[in-house]
């Protein structure tokens, strides 16, 4: 990049510098992949040699690069860019193969997912990491006291358990006879639940095409970003449970599901609430593509959120019947909508049924 400013040659005893036209200066800085390096092409001799640089300027002049060094930095930067481009193309190609889509669509999904992963809060922290940590804190364990009994000798204390063993040891004049036991309490940990289900209900009504006054983009884009953040952070936490915490918390199965309401078909006719992603622990290219498509197109209906809630209750009921109490699951249902329900009464009734 080109930097324009002034060359400060010297100051008076009070630290004041008077700048004139002869102090005008411009120089370039180069990014070498690690830090910015100043590449000042101003010759060190000639009329510029009359300048008396201070210590700060001497330190800067020490980093002046030769043309050969600048060319080397440029070559290395181009090589890194080429390598990144190759890796990105490979990533897109692999995604397209696994998801069963063309590479152009694969790139759109990857770009949108990466945009969501890079979202930050007002403190500059990545939302994806914060949400993943929040899912991790859902893990709860109960302290279960357990009494363990072990055999000991007289010197260790305890209570008499085997009189025969004690008598035999005494007969042979054993200095520390056995026959005693010691009871010790220890705490073991049992998870409160061994499964987490997160079901997201998304709004595809016409008003989701309107721009959000805060972000300035269609609300459906913000909803899609939220969905990617929720699902991606959830399954990121699932990987940590599986790899690092299995011994601690046991087999913690984490699943997700996506349901939409308010969509319309090509003829503008309303579509019933749809299960876009069935309840599953999978979150690969195929699922990411389905989530992207589900929250990208076919907006335009009303807001029958109550119908979406009803579908979710059916999903949970059928899953409970199938599992028949095999797992204790924490089930979270998240409803996303931007406006009033078509029937607030029916929506409230459906919400109460979850209790």
């Amino acid at each position: 990049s080109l930097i324009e400013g002034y060359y400060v040659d010297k100051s008076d005893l009070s630290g004041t510098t008077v700048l004139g036209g002869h102090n005008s200066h411009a120089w370039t800085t180069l990014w070498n992949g690690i830090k910015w390096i100043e590449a000042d092409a101003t010759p060190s001799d000639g009329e510029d040699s009359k300048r008396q640089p201070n210590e700060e300027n001497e330190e800067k002049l020490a980093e002046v690069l030769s043309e050969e060094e600048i060319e080397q930095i440029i070559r290395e930067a181009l090589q890194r860019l080429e390598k990144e481009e190759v890796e990105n193309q490979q990533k897109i190609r692999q995604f397209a193969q696994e998801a069963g889509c063309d590479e152009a669509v694969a790139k759109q999904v990857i770009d949108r997912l990466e945009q969501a992963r890079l979202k930050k809060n007002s403190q500059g922290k990545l939302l994806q990491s914060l949400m993943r940590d929040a899912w991790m804190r859902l893990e709860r364990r109960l302290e279960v006291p357990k009494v363990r009994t072990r055999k000991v000798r007289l010197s260790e204390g305890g209570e008499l358990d085997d009189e025969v063993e004690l008598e035999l040891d005494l007969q042979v004049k054993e200095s520390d006879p056995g026959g005693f036991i010691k009871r010790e309490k220890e705490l073991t940990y049992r998870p409160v639940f061994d499964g987490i289900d997160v079901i997201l209900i998304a709004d595809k009504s016409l008003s989701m095409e309107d721009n959000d006054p805060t972000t300035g983009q269609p609300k459906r884009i913000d909803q899609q970003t939220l969905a990617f953040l929720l699902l991606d952070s959830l399954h990121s936490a699932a990987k940590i449970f599986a790899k690092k915490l299995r011994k601690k918390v046991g087999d913690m199965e984490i699943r997700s599901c996506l349901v939409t309401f308010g969509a319309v078909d090509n003829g503008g006719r309303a579509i019933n609430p749809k299960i876009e992603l069935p309840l599953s622990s999978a979150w690969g290219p195929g699922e990411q593509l389905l989530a992207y498509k589900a929250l990208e197109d076919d907006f335009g209906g009303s807001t029958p959120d109550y119908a979406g809630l009803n579908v979710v209750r059916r999903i949970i009921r059928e899953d409970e019947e199938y599992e028949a109490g095999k797992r204790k699951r924490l089930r979270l249902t998240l409803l996303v909508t931007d406006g009033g329900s078509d029937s607030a009464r029916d929506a409230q009734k459906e919400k109460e049924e979850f209790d």
Side-chain angles (χ1 to χ4, degrees):
S1 62
L2 179 66
I3 310 296
E4 295 182 353
Y6 294 91
Y7 186 101
V8 180
D9 47 10
K10 56 184 177 181
S11 304
D12 60 23
L13 294 177
S14 67
T16 302
T17 300
V18 178
L19 299 178
H22 69 283
N23 294 109
S24 298
H25 191 55
W27 62 96
T28 58
T29 57
L30 298 174
W31 177 253
N32 68 354
I34 301 176
K35 65 176 183 177
W36 288 98
I37 296 178
E38 186 174 301
D40 194 337
T42 302
S44 59
D45 53 4
E47 60 181 41
D48 283 332
S49 64
K50 299 177 183 178
R51 294 173 176 163
Q52 302 295 323
N54 56 29
E55 290 182 2
E56 180 182 355
N57 289 327
E58 286 178 346
E59 183 179 344
K60 289 183 177 179
L61 287 174
E63 293 210 14
V64 173
L65 302 177
S66 66
E67 291 186 7
E68 291 78 8
E69 290 173 322
I70 294 174
E71 290 177 358
Q72 177 64 24
I73 290 174
I74 294 174
R75 282 196 299 271
E76 292 175 354
L78 289 175
Q79 289 172 357
R80 281 191 294 272
L81 288 174
E82 290 175 1
K83 182 180 179 182
E84 290 176 3
E85 181 63 24
V86 170
E87 291 174 349
N88 288 336
Q89 288 301 320
Q90 290 175 342
K91 182 178 180 180
I92 292 171
R93 191 174 301 110
Q94 182 177 354
F95 187 103
Q97 291 174 350
E98 294 183 22
C101 64
D102 60 51
E103 293 185 10
V105 173
K107 185 178 185 307
Q108 292 174 2
V109 180
I110 291 173
D111 288 347
R112 189 63 57 82
L113 186 56
E114 288 300 319
Q115 290 172 10
R117 288 170 175 167
L118 294 176
K119 284 283 185 181
K120 296 181 180 180
N121 65 4
S122 57
Q123 286 78 42
K125 296 182 178 179
L126 289 173
L127 291 174
Q128 201 261 8
S129 298
L130 293 174
M131 295 174 73
R132 180 199 61 209
D133 294 343
W135 294 124
M136 296 294 297
R137 288 195 293 273
L138 287 176
E139 180 267 316
R140 294 289 183 270
R141 292 171 294 145
L142 292 175
E143 292 185 350
V144 182
K146 182 179 180 181
V147 177
R148 184 169 66 93
T149 302
R150 66 184 180 90
K151 289 186 175 183
V152 297
R153 293 194 171 271
L154 178 63
S155 60
E156 295 184 63
E159 59 186 273
L160 180 61
D161 178 67
D162 191 337
E163 294 182 2
V164 175
E165 182 179 353
L166 172 62
E167 182 63 28
L168 290 174
D169 282 354
L170 291 175
Q171 288 179 7
V172 297
K173 298 181 179 182
E174 171 63 52
S175 61
D176 194 12
F180 297 86
I181 60 171
K182 197 168 187 178
R183 302 182 190 276
E184 299 173 335
K185 289 184 178 181
E186 63 179 13
L187 291 176
T188 59
Y189 297 93
R190 184 182 41 146
V192 177
F193 45 83
D194 52 10
I196 300 175
D197 289 347
V198 177
I199 303 176
L200 178 63
I201 310 175
D203 184 356
K204 298 188 70 171
S205 62
L206 178 62
S207 58
M208 293 298 286
E209 292 282 11
D210 297 338
N211 286 345
D212 183 274
T214 303
T215 63
Q217 62 183 3
K219 287 180 280 187
R220 64 177 178 81
I221 300 297
D222 295 329
Q223 177 178 244
Q224 189 182 69
T225 299
L226 172 63
F228 273 148
L229 276 171
L230 282 170
L231 298 176
D232 201 55
S233 60
L234 175 69
H235 290 282
S236 177
K239 291 179 181 179
I240 296 176
F241 276 122
K243 292 182 179 179
K244 298 183 179 180
L245 299 179
R246 175 165 288 176
K247 291 183 180 180
K248 180 180 176 184
V249 303
D251 183 18
M252 180 73 70
E253 184 179 39
I254 297 180
R255 304 184 299 180
S256 62
C257 174
L258 175 61
V259 174
T260 60
F261 66 87
V264 294
D265 61 19
N266 293 333
R269 293 179 293 271
I271 299 175
N272 291 330
K274 182 179 179 182
I275 302 174
E276 308 284 0
L277 287 176
L279 198 57
S280 169
S281 58
W283 180 243
E287 290 74 27
Q288 293 162 10
L289 173 64
L290 288 174
Y292 171 82
K293 286 185 173 181
L295 300 177
E296 184 73 11
D297 302 315
D298 302 328
F299 286 77
S302 56
T303 312
D305 52 352
Y306 58 88
L309 288 165
N310 184 267
V311 169
V312 171
R313 284 205 305 113
R314 175 168 55 83
I315 292 172
I316 294 174
R317 183 173 64 252
E318 292 176 354
D319 187 67
E320 288 176 340
E321 293 174 354
Y322 174 77
E323 289 204 327
K326 294 178 183 177
R327 285 184 180 270
K328 294 181 180 179
R329 293 190 179 276
L330 173 66
R331 300 182 190 271
L332 304 174
T333 300
L334 308 174
L335 172 64
V336 180
T337 181
D338 75 326
S341 170
D342 287 356
S343 175
R345 180 180 178 181
D346 289 340
Q348 183 59 35
K349 182 178 179 181
E350 287 291 340
K351 292 175 183 177
E352 291 173 354
E353 290 293 331
F354 279 83
D355 299 332

